[in-house]
Amino acid sequence: MLQSLREEVLEANREIVRRGLVLYTFGNVSGISREDGLVVIKPSGVDYERMTADDMVVTDLDGTVVWGKLRPSSDLKTHLHLYRSFPAVGGVVHTHSEFATIWAQARRSIPPLGTTHADYFYGPIPATRELTREEIEGDYVHATGVAIVDSFGNRDPMEAPAALVADHGPFCWGATPAEAVHNAVVLEAVARMAYHTIALKPDSAGITQALLDRHYKRKHGAAATYGQS
Amino acid sequence: MLQSLREEVLEANREIVRRGLVLYTFGNVSGISREDGLVVIKPSGVDYERMTADDMVVTDLDGTVVWGKLRPSSDLKTHLHLYRSFPAVGGVVHTHSEFATIWAQARRSIPPLGTTHADYFYGPIPATRELTREEIEGDYVHATGVAIVDSFGNRDPMEAPAALVADHGPFCWGATPAEAVHNAVVLEAVARMAYHTIALKPDSAGITQALLDRHYKRKHGAAATYGQS
Amino acid sequence: MLQSLREEVLEANREIVRRGLVLYTFGNVSGISREDGLVVIKPSGVDYERMTADDMVVTDLDGTVVWGKLRPSSDLKTHLHLYRSFPAVGGVVHTHSEFATIWAQARRSIPPLGTTHADYFYGPIPATRELTREEIEGDYVHATGVAIVDSFGNRDPMEAPAALVADHGPFCWGATPAEAVHNAVVLEAVARMAYHTIALKPDSAGITQALLDRHYKRKHGAAATYGQS
Amino acid sequence: MLQSLREEVLEANREIVRRGLVLYTFGNVSGISREDGLVVIKPSGVDYERMTADDMVVTDLDGTVVWGKLRPSSDLKTHLHLYRSFPAVGGVVHTHSEFATIWAQARRSIPPLGTTHADYFYGPIPATRELTREEIEGDYVHATGVAIVDSFGNRDPMEAPAALVADHGPFCWGATPAEAVHNAVVLEAVARMAYHTIALKPDSAGITQALLDRHYKRKHGAAATYGQS
């Protein structure tokens, strides 16, 4: 079932290891077939080195496993809530990549401090609110997704395809699993540079709206001019 | 003698090199056979590249060498005190890994600032008290073990399987030598992120008890749900 | 057309990847044939791994493509303005290398704090002014070049072959594309060390004019003594 | 001439590259034959990749080349002054390794903040005074050696085999070229950890004399117990 998407999700999981975003099994990537209403996700706690496409787990949007022998990632319900809430999302990735996690642990949104940020994220990368005790003791993994969605309010989630879960770490997304991982790699670079920029200039005000517009729209939307047509 | 445990300890010593936790010969891993009351440890000052399982040294719990041609690691007595004091420990590792050592040199415990920490360490990772002059000039290596054990008081040492020896560096442990090394790798990542979190947000209060419980118990104890059953 | 220069520019683009100065496609190198008045530059948004010399684009100094099938780098006009304004420049490189970008985002020039700096840069490495809203919304890429040239005033641009574009990142240059890349590699090392020097000693005054003269002139100019004659 | 020492010096020069202590040609190692009163040193500005033992240069203790086709390292006179002043030194290495250079640029000695330091350096690693204008404009490279020797006063230079030349970077030494390089590698690790320890605990007082004695003497001198006998 969904052989091609399972290959794609496997490859995206391997890519987060190659890019140095995860230690041991601290991360997971999923992808969705919108047509089938089915999600493919990494199994829980399996070594990346020996994972195959047949170890991927297929669930419906309520989390019921419809294919696969293994238990899905323990973060499944966060992924599902993002797919249900953000209809343009085709892939989701969660890591504990170092500097994105540092901002998450500091419960601070990453302000746009340069054009690297603006090329990918149209405004701040939000840190979520802290979860309440009731959320943590209740349906915790689902509540994590709710907090991410809350942090966007009316913003288009595709314009800043990442959130920093307070005290935890980043979730990123994209049109495909590969694009979600690409965004996670860039997020980590942006998070490292923002951390050090603020240390060097604590009163950094960030870039102007004009510069944010110029860079973001150069790469995104109908008027994009970057790359080959 | 204890061929299989010697292979396991050798492999764990190689792993700390591969993971970037040691420079030259600045680290050592041991393992214990509780059944035999015997400890296998790396020899002192031998290059990791040319070590074989036959270079490992076997001692009893008092430190008497019962097998092997080489002198045991100079940190042997610290390992032995941990095995005698913490009956669930099956492997011990000492490194000078960069950020764990930085916290140790600052004589600060690492507070739980995020879920990466909470997944492995149920509460602060203790820094020990400084040793007294008498301890340093007397049975120093043994006293190092005493200070580690003191830093736990009534805490279960398996719930925070690491300590930061003041002015020195980390010791970690686990049910096996491999698990001890795994914990040392995670400790280094947690120490790096905690260092930078505190720089970004000096008044970080750390995570709530509810979040600590949720993450730690997801991976440990009877109610654990992480991984494959 | 310009086969040899295209090979040289390709190789220089590969070198910025090997040296860890770029992530994905965030960088570009160009070279000029002063004799022909033609510039060779990397195409826009093409993966470094699959680029060949035939993918390079040749333009005149006004930016008209005179050879090649692909669209040139979106930063082309900045490169062109540097070639027109700085006649000794034979190669230009733009990256988002981490610490040079951090200084650019902090809008701070890098002061000469040691001899590593002085061996390559005769005085501060200038951060440009911020671009105005009119510049950003108008001919933005050209205006970036103008701001770089403005930041040099009457200084010889070959004596400090780099500038930090405010809120963006570094541009570097040299007599050839390879030399421009060499300077970009050194800039990143200098930027890392300057960042941490200032953290360790916030009131760093920088080196004396005598030391700057001694080191810079040891490697540059008629009286240079470094290397083989 | 001195074929074996030339091989040894070549290998030590390669080791500083493998260990990440140098960028391009920013470093040099030499060795001395005390019996012959001759020094072997790396040539100036030659790529490490294509250097052979035949490219090494042999000079006497006054700097006169007695063998070899190439010009010696531009830092030769500093090496020579160290050999003349410190009779136990058999090898000298100069690098611009990142954190040792940062301390040098900050003109700060590295205090002993932990046992990693104490295992190699018996007390602070001195930063030299700044050179005077007369020294810089006169016999600069020689004066650099004088400043290093001055920074030791009556201390035994073998008990802290490194100095940080103000505004420049580290020189290290040892009984052999290989040992000098080993010390340079450890210095960089110690410098990194000291930098971050001070950031985490600005009032770090450093370790006690008792702990310094215990660790240093465990590895050095007649009573050393570390390693295999």
Side-chain angles (χ1 to χ4, degrees), chain B residues 114-140:
Chain B
T115 65
T116 320
H117 184 121
D119 282 336
Y120 282 83
F121 302 99
Y122 190 56
I125 299 162
T128 69
R129 60 177 170 80
E130 292 175 71
L131 298 191
T132 64
R133 181 167 168 177
E134 287 66 36
E135 287 176 315
I136 292 168
E137 295 180 347
D139 197 358
Y140 169 66

PDB file of all heavy atoms in Angstrom, chain B residues 114-140:
ATOM      1  N   GLY B 114      14.071  20.916  28.891  1.00  0.00           N
ATOM      2  CA  GLY B 114      13.288  20.508  27.728  1.00  0.00           C
ATOM      3  C   GLY B 114      13.041  19.015  27.739  1.00  0.00           C
ATOM      4  O   GLY B 114      13.527  18.291  28.616  1.00  0.00           O
ATOM      5  N   THR B 115      12.324  18.578  26.736  1.00  0.00           N
ATOM      6  CA  THR B 115      11.905  17.173  26.723  1.00  0.00           C
ATOM      7  C   THR B 115      13.035  16.230  26.316  1.00  0.00           C
ATOM      8  O   THR B 115      12.964  15.040  26.630  1.00  0.00           O
ATOM      9  CB  THR B 115      10.702  16.971  25.795  1.00  0.00           C
ATOM     10  OG1 THR B 115      11.103  17.259  24.456  1.00  0.00           O
ATOM     11  CG2 THR B 115       9.535  17.852  26.193  1.00  0.00           C
ATOM     12  N   THR B 116      14.069  16.728  25.621  1.00  0.00           N
ATOM     13  CA  THR B 116      15.212  15.854  25.327  1.00  0.00           C
ATOM     14  C   THR B 116      15.817  15.380  26.646  1.00  0.00           C
ATOM     15  O   THR B 116      16.148  14.204  26.816  1.00  0.00           O
ATOM     16  CB  THR B 116      16.288  16.607  24.518  1.00  0.00           C
ATOM     17  OG1 THR B 116      15.663  17.447  23.544  1.00  0.00           O
ATOM     18  CG2 THR B 116      17.237  15.640  23.840  1.00  0.00           C
ATOM     19  N   HIS B 117      15.981  16.313  27.551  1.00  0.00           N
ATOM     20  CA  HIS B 117      16.457  16.010  28.898  1.00  0.00           C
ATOM     21  C   HIS B 117      15.495  15.037  29.593  1.00  0.00           C
ATOM     22  O   HIS B 117      15.906  13.999  30.119  1.00  0.00           O
ATOM     23  CB  HIS B 117      16.568  17.332  29.676  1.00  0.00           C
ATOM     24  CG  HIS B 117      17.140  17.213  31.052  1.00  0.00           C
ATOM     25  ND1 HIS B 117      18.271  17.869  31.446  1.00  0.00           N
ATOM     26  CD2 HIS B 117      16.723  16.521  32.147  1.00  0.00           C
ATOM     27  CE1 HIS B 117      18.544  17.587  32.715  1.00  0.00           C
ATOM     28  NE2 HIS B 117      17.605  16.764  33.160  1.00  0.00           N
ATOM     29  N   ALA B 118      14.211  15.385  29.550  1.00  0.00           N
ATOM     30  CA  ALA B 118      13.205  14.599  30.291  1.00  0.00           C
ATOM     31  C   ALA B 118      13.060  13.177  29.749  1.00  0.00           C
ATOM     32  O   ALA B 118      12.651  12.277  30.480  1.00  0.00           O
ATOM     33  CB  ALA B 118      11.856  15.314  30.235  1.00  0.00           C
ATOM     34  N   ASP B 119      13.392  12.985  28.491  1.00  0.00           N
ATOM     35  CA  ASP B 119      13.297  11.626  27.933  1.00  0.00           C
ATOM     36  C   ASP B 119      14.324  10.680  28.566  1.00  0.00           C
ATOM     37  O   ASP B 119      14.165   9.461  28.517  1.00  0.00           O
ATOM     38  CB  ASP B 119      13.527  11.644  26.419  1.00  0.00           C
ATOM     39  CG  ASP B 119      12.309  12.115  25.639  1.00  0.00           C
ATOM     40  OD1 ASP B 119      11.175  11.999  26.164  1.00  0.00           O
ATOM     41  OD2 ASP B 119      12.472  12.593  24.494  1.00  0.00           O
ATOM     42  N   TYR B 120      15.376  11.240  29.160  1.00  0.00           N
ATOM     43  CA  TYR B 120      16.469  10.407  29.689  1.00  0.00           C
ATOM     44  C   TYR B 120      16.769  10.619  31.165  1.00  0.00           C
ATOM     45  O   TYR B 120      17.262   9.715  31.830  1.00  0.00           O
ATOM     46  CB  TYR B 120      17.762  10.681  28.902  1.00  0.00           C
ATOM     47  CG  TYR B 120      17.759   9.995  27.574  1.00  0.00           C
ATOM     48  CD1 TYR B 120      17.128  10.545  26.471  1.00  0.00           C
ATOM     49  CD2 TYR B 120      18.363   8.748  27.435  1.00  0.00           C
ATOM     50  CE1 TYR B 120      17.099   9.890  25.256  1.00  0.00           C
ATOM     51  CE2 TYR B 120      18.343   8.082  26.221  1.00  0.00           C
ATOM     52  CZ  TYR B 120      17.704   8.664  25.141  1.00  0.00           C
ATOM     53  OH  TYR B 120      17.673   8.002  23.950  1.00  0.00           O
ATOM     54  N   PHE B 121      16.537  11.842  31.644  1.00  0.00           N
ATOM     55  CA  PHE B 121      16.983  12.196  32.999  1.00  0.00           C
ATOM     56  C   PHE B 121      15.792  12.770  33.762  1.00  0.00           C
ATOM     57  O   PHE B 121      15.257  13.812  33.385  1.00  0.00           O
ATOM     58  CB  PHE B 121      18.121  13.224  32.931  1.00  0.00           C
ATOM     59  CG  PHE B 121      19.313  12.755  32.145  1.00  0.00           C
ATOM     60  CD1 PHE B 121      19.485  13.152  30.811  1.00  0.00           C
ATOM     61  CD2 PHE B 121      20.250  11.891  32.704  1.00  0.00           C
ATOM     62  CE1 PHE B 121      20.574  12.712  30.073  1.00  0.00           C
ATOM     63  CE2 PHE B 121      21.341  11.442  31.966  1.00  0.00           C
ATOM     64  CZ  PHE B 121      21.501  11.847  30.646  1.00  0.00           C
ATOM     65  N   TYR B 122      15.423  12.085  34.834  1.00  0.00           N
ATOM     66  CA  TYR B 122      14.230  12.478  35.582  1.00  0.00           C
ATOM     67  C   TYR B 122      14.624  13.507  36.642  1.00  0.00           C
ATOM     68  O   TYR B 122      14.715  13.200  37.827  1.00  0.00           O
ATOM     69  CB  TYR B 122      13.611  11.213  36.198  1.00  0.00           C
ATOM     70  CG  TYR B 122      12.245  11.424  36.802  1.00  0.00           C
ATOM     71  CD1 TYR B 122      11.202  11.949  36.033  1.00  0.00           C
ATOM     72  CD2 TYR B 122      11.984  11.082  38.120  1.00  0.00           C
ATOM     73  CE1 TYR B 122       9.945  12.133  36.582  1.00  0.00           C
ATOM     74  CE2 TYR B 122      10.734  11.258  38.679  1.00  0.00           C
ATOM     75  CZ  TYR B 122       9.719  11.798  37.904  1.00  0.00           C
ATOM     76  OH  TYR B 122       8.467  11.976  38.451  1.00  0.00           O
ATOM     77  N   GLY B 123      14.850  14.723  36.197  1.00  0.00           N
ATOM     78  CA  GLY B 123      15.270  15.801  37.094  1.00  0.00           C
ATOM     79  C   GLY B 123      16.667  16.264  36.749  1.00  0.00           C
ATOM     80  O   GLY B 123      17.221  15.880  35.721  1.00  0.00           O
ATOM     81  N   PRO B 124      17.245  17.125  37.599  1.00  0.00           N
ATOM     82  CA  PRO B 124      18.568  17.684  37.305  1.00  0.00           C
ATOM     83  C   PRO B 124      19.634  16.591  37.197  1.00  0.00           C
ATOM     84  O   PRO B 124      19.532  15.549  37.852  1.00  0.00           O
ATOM     85  CB  PRO B 124      18.865  18.585  38.509  1.00  0.00           C
ATOM     86  CG  PRO B 124      17.578  18.795  39.202  1.00  0.00           C
ATOM     87  CD  PRO B 124      16.706  17.633  38.878  1.00  0.00           C
ATOM     88  N   ILE B 125      20.647  16.865  36.388  1.00  0.00           N
ATOM     89  CA  ILE B 125      21.835  16.020  36.350  1.00  0.00           C
ATOM     90  C   ILE B 125      22.807  16.657  37.335  1.00  0.00           C
ATOM     91  O   ILE B 125      23.281  17.774  37.115  1.00  0.00           O
ATOM     92  CB  ILE B 125      22.433  15.978  34.940  1.00  0.00           C
ATOM     93  CG1 ILE B 125      21.396  15.391  33.974  1.00  0.00           C
ATOM     94  CG2 ILE B 125      23.723  15.161  34.917  1.00  0.00           C
ATOM     95  CD1 ILE B 125      21.668  15.687  32.514  1.00  0.00           C
ATOM     96  N   PRO B 126      23.081  15.976  38.445  1.00  0.00           N
ATOM     97  CA  PRO B 126      23.793  16.641  39.537  1.00  0.00           C
ATOM     98  C   PRO B 126      25.260  16.896  39.243  1.00  0.00           C
ATOM     99  O   PRO B 126      25.945  16.070  38.643  1.00  0.00           O
ATOM    100  CB  PRO B 126      23.648  15.666  40.707  1.00  0.00           C
ATOM    101  CG  PRO B 126      23.459  14.333  40.084  1.00  0.00           C
ATOM    102  CD  PRO B 126      22.716  14.584  38.788  1.00  0.00           C
ATOM    103  N   ALA B 127      25.731  18.074  39.680  1.00  0.00           N
ATOM    104  CA  ALA B 127      27.174  18.307  39.799  1.00  0.00           C
ATOM    105  C   ALA B 127      27.550  17.907  41.218  1.00  0.00           C
ATOM    106  O   ALA B 127      26.798  18.174  42.162  1.00  0.00           O
ATOM    107  CB  ALA B 127      27.504  19.773  39.550  1.00  0.00           C
ATOM    108  N   THR B 128      28.678  17.289  41.360  1.00  0.00           N
ATOM    109  CA  THR B 128      29.094  16.877  42.705  1.00  0.00           C
ATOM    110  C   THR B 128      29.638  18.079  43.467  1.00  0.00           C
ATOM    111  O   THR B 128      29.975  19.105  42.879  1.00  0.00           O
ATOM    112  CB  THR B 128      30.215  15.827  42.652  1.00  0.00           C
ATOM    113  OG1 THR B 128      31.407  16.450  42.167  1.00  0.00           O
ATOM    114  CG2 THR B 128      29.847  14.667  41.749  1.00  0.00           C
ATOM    115  N   ARG B 129      29.746  17.928  44.755  1.00  0.00           N
ATOM    116  CA  ARG B 129      30.505  18.879  45.563  1.00  0.00           C
ATOM    117  C   ARG B 129      31.975  18.807  45.120  1.00  0.00           C
ATOM    118  O   ARG B 129      32.399  17.840  44.496  1.00  0.00           O
ATOM    119  CB  ARG B 129      30.396  18.518  47.042  1.00  0.00           C
ATOM    120  CG  ARG B 129      30.941  17.118  47.350  1.00  0.00           C
ATOM    121  CD  ARG B 129      30.896  16.815  48.851  1.00  0.00           C
ATOM    122  NE  ARG B 129      31.191  15.416  49.108  1.00  0.00           N
ATOM    123  CZ  ARG B 129      32.422  14.895  49.132  1.00  0.00           C
ATOM    124  NH1 ARG B 129      33.473  15.655  48.910  1.00  0.00           N
ATOM    125  NH2 ARG B 129      32.595  13.602  49.377  1.00  0.00           N
ATOM    126  N   GLU B 130      32.749  19.845  45.476  1.00  0.00           N
ATOM    127  CA  GLU B 130      34.195  19.745  45.282  1.00  0.00           C
ATOM    128  C   GLU B 130      34.777  18.759  46.286  1.00  0.00           C
ATOM    129  O   GLU B 130      34.293  18.656  47.411  1.00  0.00           O
ATOM    130  CB  GLU B 130      34.849  21.103  45.535  1.00  0.00           C
ATOM    131  CG  GLU B 130      34.488  22.142  44.505  1.00  0.00           C
ATOM    132  CD  GLU B 130      35.076  23.483  44.902  1.00  0.00           C
ATOM    133  OE1 GLU B 130      36.313  23.628  44.819  1.00  0.00           O
ATOM    134  OE2 GLU B 130      34.291  24.365  45.308  1.00  0.00           O
ATOM    135  N   LEU B 131      35.811  18.078  45.897  1.00  0.00           N
ATOM    136  CA  LEU B 131      36.496  17.198  46.851  1.00  0.00           C
ATOM    137  C   LEU B 131      37.303  18.053  47.828  1.00  0.00           C
ATOM    138  O   LEU B 131      37.745  19.157  47.495  1.00  0.00           O
ATOM    139  CB  LEU B 131      37.433  16.239  46.113  1.00  0.00           C
ATOM    140  CG  LEU B 131      36.764  15.265  45.131  1.00  0.00           C
ATOM    141  CD1 LEU B 131      37.774  14.202  44.693  1.00  0.00           C
ATOM    142  CD2 LEU B 131      35.546  14.592  45.736  1.00  0.00           C
ATOM    143  N   THR B 132      37.481  17.544  49.021  1.00  0.00           N
ATOM    144  CA  THR B 132      38.317  18.245  50.006  1.00  0.00           C
ATOM    145  C   THR B 132      39.789  17.983  49.687  1.00  0.00           C
ATOM    146  O   THR B 132      40.135  17.050  48.956  1.00  0.00           O
ATOM    147  CB  THR B 132      38.054  17.712  51.427  1.00  0.00           C
ATOM    148  OG1 THR B 132      38.469  16.338  51.463  1.00  0.00           O
ATOM    149  CG2 THR B 132      36.576  17.800  51.784  1.00  0.00           C
ATOM    150  N   ARG B 133      40.629  18.811  50.272  1.00  0.00           N
ATOM    151  CA  ARG B 133      42.066  18.605  50.088  1.00  0.00           C
ATOM    152  C   ARG B 133      42.485  17.216  50.577  1.00  0.00           C
ATOM    153  O   ARG B 133      43.315  16.558  49.957  1.00  0.00           O
ATOM    154  CB  ARG B 133      42.810  19.705  50.868  1.00  0.00           C
ATOM    155  CG  ARG B 133      44.293  19.584  50.710  1.00  0.00           C
ATOM    156  CD  ARG B 133      45.004  20.808  51.206  1.00  0.00           C
ATOM    157  NE  ARG B 133      46.433  20.529  51.288  1.00  0.00           N
ATOM    158  CZ  ARG B 133      47.349  21.419  51.635  1.00  0.00           C
ATOM    159  NH1 ARG B 133      46.980  22.657  51.907  1.00  0.00           N
ATOM    160  NH2 ARG B 133      48.625  21.088  51.688  1.00  0.00           N
ATOM    161  N   GLU B 134      41.893  16.780  51.667  1.00  0.00           N
ATOM    162  CA  GLU B 134      42.240  15.468  52.202  1.00  0.00           C
ATOM    163  C   GLU B 134      41.857  14.370  51.201  1.00  0.00           C
ATOM    164  O   GLU B 134      42.608  13.411  50.992  1.00  0.00           O
ATOM    165  CB  GLU B 134      41.518  15.216  53.536  1.00  0.00           C
ATOM    166  CG  GLU B 134      42.082  16.035  54.689  1.00  0.00           C
ATOM    167  CD  GLU B 134      41.866  17.556  54.516  1.00  0.00           C
ATOM    168  OE1 GLU B 134      40.801  17.972  53.987  1.00  0.00           O
ATOM    169  OE2 GLU B 134      42.778  18.332  54.876  1.00  0.00           O
ATOM    170  N   GLU B 135      40.690  14.503  50.613  1.00  0.00           N
ATOM    171  CA  GLU B 135      40.269  13.503  49.630  1.00  0.00           C
ATOM    172  C   GLU B 135      41.197  13.503  48.414  1.00  0.00           C
ATOM    173  O   GLU B 135      41.552  12.448  47.888  1.00  0.00           O
ATOM    174  CB  GLU B 135      38.832  13.774  49.172  1.00  0.00           C
ATOM    175  CG  GLU B 135      37.788  13.431  50.230  1.00  0.00           C
ATOM    176  CD  GLU B 135      36.379  13.796  49.793  1.00  0.00           C
ATOM    177  OE1 GLU B 135      36.167  14.916  49.254  1.00  0.00           O
ATOM    178  OE2 GLU B 135      35.465  12.975  49.979  1.00  0.00           O
ATOM    179  N   ILE B 136      41.559  14.706  47.961  1.00  0.00           N
ATOM    180  CA  ILE B 136      42.405  14.801  46.763  1.00  0.00           C
ATOM    181  C   ILE B 136      43.785  14.210  47.023  1.00  0.00           C
ATOM    182  O   ILE B 136      44.338  13.498  46.185  1.00  0.00           O
ATOM    183  CB  ILE B 136      42.529  16.287  46.318  1.00  0.00           C
ATOM    184  CG1 ILE B 136      41.178  16.778  45.799  1.00  0.00           C
ATOM    185  CG2 ILE B 136      43.600  16.432  45.241  1.00  0.00           C
ATOM    186  CD1 ILE B 136      41.096  18.280  45.593  1.00  0.00           C
ATOM    187  N   GLU B 137      44.324  14.502  48.204  1.00  0.00           N
ATOM    188  CA  GLU B 137      45.668  14.003  48.500  1.00  0.00           C
ATOM    189  C   GLU B 137      45.650  12.565  48.985  1.00  0.00           C
ATOM    190  O   GLU B 137      46.697  11.908  49.031  1.00  0.00           O
ATOM    191  CB  GLU B 137      46.338  14.918  49.527  1.00  0.00           C
ATOM    192  CG  GLU B 137      46.560  16.312  48.929  1.00  0.00           C
ATOM    193  CD  GLU B 137      47.220  17.293  49.887  1.00  0.00           C
ATOM    194  OE1 GLU B 137      47.297  17.003  51.093  1.00  0.00           O
ATOM    195  OE2 GLU B 137      47.654  18.362  49.385  1.00  0.00           O
ATOM    196  N   GLY B 138      44.470  12.065  49.340  1.00  0.00           N
ATOM    197  CA  GLY B 138      44.372  10.686  49.833  1.00  0.00           C
ATOM    198  C   GLY B 138      43.946   9.734  48.713  1.00  0.00           C
ATOM    199  O   GLY B 138      44.553   9.716  47.647  1.00  0.00           O
ATOM    200  N   ASP B 139      42.872   9.011  48.963  1.00  0.00           N
ATOM    201  CA  ASP B 139      42.425   8.013  47.977  1.00  0.00           C
ATOM    202  C   ASP B 139      41.504   8.703  46.964  1.00  0.00           C
ATOM    203  O   ASP B 139      40.293   8.515  46.958  1.00  0.00           O
ATOM    204  CB  ASP B 139      41.698   6.884  48.727  1.00  0.00           C
ATOM    205  CG  ASP B 139      41.571   5.635  47.867  1.00  0.00           C
ATOM    206  OD1 ASP B 139      42.013   5.661  46.686  1.00  0.00           O
ATOM    207  OD2 ASP B 139      41.032   4.634  48.365  1.00  0.00           O
ATOM    208  N   TYR B 140      42.133   9.498  46.117  1.00  0.00           N
ATOM    209  CA  TYR B 140      41.430  10.457  45.254  1.00  0.00           C
ATOM    210  C   TYR B 140      40.406   9.821  44.309  1.00  0.00           C
ATOM    211  O   TYR B 140      39.279  10.303  44.185  1.00  0.00           O
ATOM    212  CB  TYR B 140      42.473  11.230  44.451  1.00  0.00           C
ATOM    213  CG  TYR B 140      41.923  12.071  43.330  1.00  0.00           C
ATOM    214  CD1 TYR B 140      41.104  13.164  43.596  1.00  0.00           C
ATOM    215  CD2 TYR B 140      42.226  11.786  41.998  1.00  0.00           C
ATOM    216  CE1 TYR B 140      40.611  13.946  42.565  1.00  0.00           C
ATOM    217  CE2 TYR B 140      41.739  12.565  40.967  1.00  0.00           C
ATOM    218  CZ  TYR B 140      40.928  13.642  41.257  1.00  0.00           C
ATOM    219  OH  TYR B 140      40.436  14.408  40.243  1.00  0.00           O
TER     220      TYR B 140
END
